[in-house]
Amino acid sequence: MHPFDVRQLITLVVIGISVSCAMAAATQRKEPIRLVGSRADRIRPYAANPRYWQYKGKPVLLLGGSKDDNLFQIPGLREHLDQMSKVGANYIRNTMSDRPDFGFEVYPFLKRADGKYDLEQWNPEYWRRFSEMLKLTYERGIVVQIEVWDRFDYSQARWPIHPYNPKNNVNYTAEQSGLKDAYPNHPGANDQPFFFTTPDQRDNKVVFRYQQRAVDEMLRRSLPYPNILYCMDNETSGDEKWGAFWARYIKQKAGALGVEALVTEMWDDWDITSNTHLRTLDHPDLYGFADVSQNNQNRGETHWERFQRVRDYIARRPRPINTVKTYGADGGPFGATSDGLGRWWRHLIGGAAAVRFHRPPSGLGLSELAMASIRAGRLLESRVKPWLTAPANHLLNDRDPDEAYLTARPGDLYAIFFPRAGSVGLNLSGVKGSFTLRWIDVTRGVWGPSAGVVAGSVVPISTPGDGMWAATITKRDPGSRRSSGG
């Protein structure tokens, strides 16, 4: 070899080593994570009533409805969030889901020229979209409930094309990972080993390291924001150790930043009073709030009573109860539009901290009727702050099942919901003074008629027309034409 060639080769080797070392150092070097806003601004249970949320130091009622679940992936996100804000919505569900149901979704991993995925490399577009959603929601004061895992991404028709499937990536084989090419059963069968990988379960290190890497990236981007809640799974019926591991993991990562992450688990069991839900309700130190969305598979009085039983159960350690998925829309699989509206409003009056319409076709999304309900909810809140009241159906006389629902601070604040035209008696015996009754047209989201009410007896309350109505009944300030609104 010519001497020059030797020197050139040595130089190239040295340069190559230097570049490799620099790249390795850059990969290992962690940029400091800077919090957005102050720690005092972060969402947390309201200090004066921990059944509700506090954000930026003030109590907040979370109301929502949106057209998709993995909202960060949708085209036109900014416009959709603006539409929400315009009607008073401040709460979204965001699954980290990547299933390509509509063609615009992308996976988080890099797809190589040969068509296979490299789980060691990110798809920048996925994470750009996620970061953009975090920024836009923060700017609009919208609280995001992130669902870390969605079991429907990893079974049936969506698994054969997923990057985690060993036939689709260059990182592990079926033998190494213990994952099969197909899982044709409903995910509720719990056939998928993907959800048994944690050190507390089967300790599948091959797959777990990539799951952990994805969660770390999600947390690196989301933990700095003050408007984030975390739910481990979408309606799971799996091993409780799976969700508990990730809940602890997220809280530990947040603790390292000097902040608290509020986490929960969502169970599939439609009976929220069952032992299944105690896996969350009995562990308030781990799960800082509850999500009982599957109660929305129920109707009428059962829907109300089960929610109230859960509310009573956690009375010693009260905390927020969210319902991020309210089912029910004409033509959908889980009840009619009247069911969806009724469920949303029963939870609102019944003491839920957050209520959201599920996406179509299973829910009303951000349809005209959903937006009307959100506007109506804000009208009600403007006169009766829910965090000042408690469910009070015992004050209703001559009430038929599912006829009317009441929340109250007896003596000065009352709010009532009628799923359909009806008439009940409001027991104001022993209460003194005059009140103002103001009706709210639920399906239009506007004020209706108003009237004066004199306390001291059982007062008849009859809806001013057909359809769904809500009403506020607030005590008039002595010497003033205005009524107190809390």
Side-chain angles (χ1 to χ4, degrees):
M1 181 179 290
H2 191 280
F4 176 77
D5 295 331
V6 173
R7 289 194 302 271
Q8 187 180 48
L9 178 61
I10 293 173
T11 301
L12 290 173
V13 170
V14 171
I15 291 173
I17 292 173
S18 299
V19 171
S20 297
C21 291
M23 291 179 64
T27 301
Q28 295 173 7
R29 184 172 60 248
K30 293 183 179 180
E31 296 294 331
I33 297 178
R34 297 178 181 177
L35 299 182
V36 177
S38 71
R39 286 179 170 82
D41 285 347
R42 296 181 74 86
I43 190 165
R44 65 192 66 190
Y46 178 37
N49 182 358
R51 292 185 184 276
Y52 286 86
W53 292 109
Q54 171 181 315
Y55 182 54
K56 294 189 174 181
K58 297 179 180 180
V60 61
L61 176 66
L62 301 184
L63 307 179
S66 52
K67 63 183 180 181
D68 211 341
D69 299 333
N70 53 344
L71 211 60
F72 75 108
Q73 296 254 26
I74 68 168
L77 174 62
R78 181 186 297 269
E79 292 75 17
H80 195 46
L81 295 176
D82 285 343
Q83 188 179 27
M84 291 180 206
S85 295
K86 185 177 180 180
V87 299
N90 61 349
Y91 176 52
I92 68 168
R93 176 190 187 212
N94 189 83
T95 66
M96 298 306 295
S97 179
D98 47 26
R99 54 186 186 244
D101 287 352
F102 300 105
F104 54 74
E105 303 91 343
V106 295
Y107 288 115
F109 305 107
L110 183 69
K111 190 173 186 178
R112 303 181 349 153
D114 63 2
K116 292 205 169 188
Y117 292 90
D118 185 351
L119 306 186
E120 296 283 359
Q121 298 190 66
W122 296 128
N123 176 359
E125 177 60 15
Y126 176 95
W127 296 107
R128 185 202 65 77
R129 294 180 183 184
F130 182 61
S131 291
E132 180 74 358
M133 180 275 297
L134 295 172
K135 175 177 176 289
L136 293 176
T137 51
Y138 171 71
E139 291 172 348
R140 288 157 179 75
I142 295 174
V143 171
V144 181
Q145 184 167 313
I146 291 175
E147 278 172 33
V148 183
W149 306 105
D150 187 345
R151 61 182 183 167
F152 291 97
D153 288 356
Y154 306 100
S155 292
Q156 299 178 306
R158 293 165 181 137
W159 178 244
I161 60 174
H162 202 282
Y164 279 115
N165 189 316
K167 72 177 183 179
N168 298 327
N169 68 61
V170 297
N171 306 95
Y172 51 66
T173 64
E175 292 73 23
Q176 292 168 334
S177 65
L179 300 177
K180 298 178 181 178
D181 288 352
Y183 291 98
N185 293 330
H186 185 281
N190 293 314
D191 295 334
Q192 174 57 286
F194 185 88
F195 295 100
F196 293 86
T197 59
T198 72
D200 295 339
Q201 298 168 291
R202 300 175 187 173
D203 196 19
N204 182 338
K205 293 181 174 63
V206 173
V207 177
F208 174 78
R209 68 184 296 260
Y210 297 109
Q211 295 170 326
Q212 183 182 35
R213 184 169 181 268
V215 171
D216 284 346
E217 186 66 16
M218 180 267 291
L219 293 175
R220 185 179 73 82
R221 295 168 184 266
S222 63
L223 277 177
Y225 284 91
N227 57 319
I228 309 298
L229 303 170
Y230 297 92
C231 181
M232 300 306 100
D233 290 278
N234 173 32
E235 56 183 65
T236 183
S237 58
D239 183 357
E240 65 179 299
K241 293 179 180 178
W242 163 265
F245 173 87
W246 291 114
R248 289 192 300 271
Y249 186 82
I250 290 172
K251 289 178 73 68
Q252 289 166 2
K253 287 286 186 178
L257 288 178
V259 298
E260 181 182 11
L262 279 302
V263 304
T264 195
E265 181 64 286
M266 185 200 300
W267 298 103
D268 189 31
D269 194 330
W270 295 5
D271 182 358
I272 61 172
T273 67
S274 72
N275 288 338
T276 299
H277 290 269
L278 300 185
R279 299 169 180 176
T280 300
L281 301 177
D282 283 351
H283 301 282
D285 292 327
L286 178 59
Y287 298 113
F289 70 105
D291 190 292
V292 296
S293 290
Q294 293 309 94
N295 190 44
N296 288 314
Q297 300 284 5
N298 298 299
R299 293 180 171 89
E301 205 73 14
T302 299
H303 181 258
W304 171 270
E305 289 176 353
R306 287 183 177 175
F307 186 84
Q308 295 308 310
R309 285 174 61 186
V310 169
R311 194 175 182 278
D312 291 343
Y313 184 81
I314 63 173
R316 290 187 178 182
R317 289 283 299 274
R319 49 205 184 275
I321 305 176
N322 291 4
T323 58
V324 78
K325 297 192 299 183
T326 302
Y327 302 109
D330 289 346
F334 302 117
T337 291
S338 59
D339 292 314
L341 293 170
R343 290 159 175 160
W344 195 90
W345 276 91
R346 278 190 219 95
H347 278 149
L348 174 58
I349 295 293
V355 290
R356 171 189 165 270
F357 289 108
H358 196 25
R359 50 103 181 115
S362 298
L364 290 170
L366 198 65
S367 63
E368 291 297 326
L369 283 173
M371 290 191 288
S373 266
I374 293 167
R375 289 195 302 267
R378 292 300 177 205
L379 293 178
L380 184 148
E381 181 197 5
S382 71
R383 297 185 58 83
V384 176
K385 310 300 184 191
W387 50 86
L388 299 178
T389 69
N393 277 3
H394 63 281
L395 296 177
L396 297 179
N397 290 10
D398 300 321
R399 173 187 176 274
D400 292 332
D402 195 38
E403 183 177 13
Y405 300 90
L406 178 72
T407 186
R409 184 170 69 182
D412 66 338
L413 296 173
Y414 303 82
I416 190 168
F417 167 63
F418 288 86
R420 62 196 65 83
S423 180
V424 295
L426 175 60
N427 191 344
L428 296 180
S429 301
V431 178
K432 297 180 180 180
S434 297
F435 289 73
T436 298
L437 181 154
R438 295 200 67 179
W439 287 102
I440 303 169
D441 187 332
V442 168
T443 57
R444 294 175 59 214
V446 296
W447 289 112
S450 61
V453 172
V454 178
S457 63
V458 176
V459 177
I461 307 292
S462 300
T463 55
D466 293 334
M468 292 186 178
W469 291 89
T472 63
I473 304 166
T474 54
K475 195 169 190 178
R476 290 178 177 172
D477 293 331
S480 172
R481 293 184 178 182
R482 294 188 304 172
S483 58
S484 61

